[in-house]
Amino acid sequence: MVRRILFTALIFICASFTSCRFGWDEIFYRKYNVNMRASCLTELDADKQPATDSEDTYGVAVFSDIHIGSNAPKHMEDFLEWLETAKDDHKIKFCICLGDIADHGYEKEFADYNEFCEKISNILGEKNSVYSIVGNHDLYNSGWEHYKKMVFPNESFYHFKTKNFSWYAMDSASDTLGEIQMEALRTAFASDENPKIILGHVPVYGDPFFKLAYFSFQDEHESSMLLSLFANYNVKLAMAGHSHAYYEKDYPTFKEYVVSSMNYKYEWTLLKINEKEGTVELKRVIGKEQK
């Protein structure tokens, strides 16, 4: 309890110094809460699905917390250079960004992100090659208004399928799923026997005190329910970002894996998919700047 009180005080002090950049009026309240942003589970149309039908094995590049607007985008250039050389060796078909695209939620930051995604699409030779997850920084300064219009696939809670896998993108940018998402996931999982990969911004964890509780779900009961849902419905992997540091935890039937920040750590992750076997492998990639 003492740790939480001290941490809350620290956050309040920090917020006082940073409120101009992140929108003081939205520190404690936002017009678009998670139930409004994720009012239903959206099934992506066929033209928004990744082109993997002919492949049994392929790669997916996953990055997180690029925080456009916080500093010079050297980390993005580093990633593009790596992708150009790795795409053929690892048969990389698409990319995933696990949130905190923008640092302040400004329209210009999302526009710069779209330019970055266009470069990725040019390298991979496919339109809409980056599937994005909304992060808490993306909501600052009413950033959701820009996100939902500008960032593919223009949803915060969505589902798509590859050959045998089901992929579920959750909106955890508010440190919670809320009742609507939880019930929608429970319903969708009950009728979906495919192996599943879960994508979100905030790690679920079983321990709410991880890094003083800020970097994980805030409700221990909700976290436990979600982990139980993963364990019972053939989830193979749950991925998140937010903490800026690599972390992984093995549960009896699935792995929870946190991708380190591309911006602050110059890292990303190569996800190797085997559709035939229903398996996934993960490999941390360290950018040259960190080396």
Side-chain angles (χ1 to χ4, degrees):
M1 178 61 70
V2 174
R3 292 175 72 191
R4 287 193 172 188
I5 293 172
L6 290 174
F7 182 67
T8 301
L10 179 61
I11 289 296
F12 184 82
I13 293 169
C14 291
S16 298
F17 289 103
T18 61
S19 58
C20 291
R21 291 185 297 138
F22 299 129
W24 172 252
D25 60 325
E26 295 183 345
I27 294 295
F28 301 108
Y29 171 78
R30 293 194 179 102
K31 177 181 178 181
Y32 295 104
N33 62 31
V34 66
N35 285 329
M36 295 180 69
R37 297 193 307 267
S39 59
C40 65
L41 177 60
T42 299
E43 301 286 337
L44 295 189
D45 295 336
D47 61 344
K48 293 185 176 181
Q49 302 272 347
T52 62
D53 288 347
S54 62
E55 301 286 350
D56 282 330
T57 60
Y58 56 89
V60 179
V62 186
F63 53 87
S64 188
D65 295 87
I66 57 180
H67 289 275
I68 293 174
S70 65
N71 55 27
K74 177 66 179 68
H75 51 291
M76 297 157 69
E77 298 170 9
D78 195 7
F79 173 81
L80 292 172
E81 186 176 330
W82 170 84
L83 185 64
E84 186 73 65
T85 59
K87 63 174 181 176
D88 293 329
D89 289 344
H90 299 290
K91 296 193 290 186
I92 297 174
K93 295 299 181 181
F94 62 96
C95 297
I96 294 167
C97 178
L98 294 172
D100 280 1
I101 292 164
D103 197 48
H104 312 94
Y106 296 151
E107 183 177 12
K108 174 64 165 58
E109 293 169 346
F110 292 118
D112 289 347
Y113 175 68
N114 282 342
E115 290 183 10
F116 175 59
C117 292
E118 186 174 351
K119 292 177 181 178
I120 290 175
S121 292
N122 290 337
I123 291 172
L124 297 183
E126 294 288 344
K127 184 181 179 182
N128 297 325
S129 295
V130 185
Y131 292 81
S132 302
I133 309 298
V134 66
N136 57 300
H137 275 253
D138 302 319
L139 303 178
Y140 293 148
N141 294 296
S142 299
W144 174 244
E145 291 285 0
H146 305 307
Y147 186 100
K148 66 182 179 180
K149 295 175 184 177
M150 300 175 67
V151 179
F152 178 82
N154 310 103
E155 306 284 350
S156 70
F157 184 34
Y158 60 92
H159 170 225
F160 63 88
K161 292 183 179 179
T162 51
K163 196 170 185 179
N164 292 310
F165 272 92
S166 288
W167 304 67
Y168 289 86
M170 309 185 306
D171 183 337
S172 59
S174 300
D175 298 319
T176 179
L177 291 189
E179 295 179 0
I180 292 176
Q181 275 192 104
M182 184 69 78
E183 185 56 35
L185 282 177
R186 186 179 290 112
T187 300
F189 283 9
S191 60
D192 183 359
E193 296 181 353
N194 290 346
K196 301 170 183 65
I197 295 174
I198 311 299
L199 310 170
H201 180 62
V202 175
V204 179
Y205 295 109
D207 178 9
F209 290 104
F210 172 71
K211 288 199 174 180
L212 296 175
Y214 174 74
F215 290 103
S216 63
F217 271 49
Q218 299 300 291
D219 186 329
E220 186 177 4
H221 177 64
E222 182 183 36
S223 173
S224 296
M225 287 195 301
L226 193 55
L227 292 173
S228 177
L229 198 65
F230 292 169
N232 290 320
Y233 286 101
N234 201 18
V235 169
K236 299 296 185 182
L237 175 67
M239 303 190 80
H242 188 52
S243 74
H244 293 185
Y246 155 79
Y247 176 93
E248 63 178 288
K249 180 178 178 62
D250 287 311
Y251 295 87
T253 58
F254 70 96
K255 179 189 290 289
E256 184 171 22
Y257 185 99
V258 177
V259 177
S260 186
S261 168
M262 181 194 283
N263 184 6
Y264 297 105
K265 298 290 187 179
Y266 279 77
E267 289 188 27
W268 47 91
T269 292
L270 176 63
L271 180 59
K272 297 182 179 180
I273 304 294
N274 188 319
E275 295 274 0
K276 188 175 181 179
E277 301 294 332
T279 59
V280 296
E281 295 181 20
L282 300 115
K283 178 183 178 182
R284 291 174 69 191
V285 180
I286 311 299
K288 358 179 247 192
E289 190 73 13
Q290 183 172 321
K291 293 178 182 178

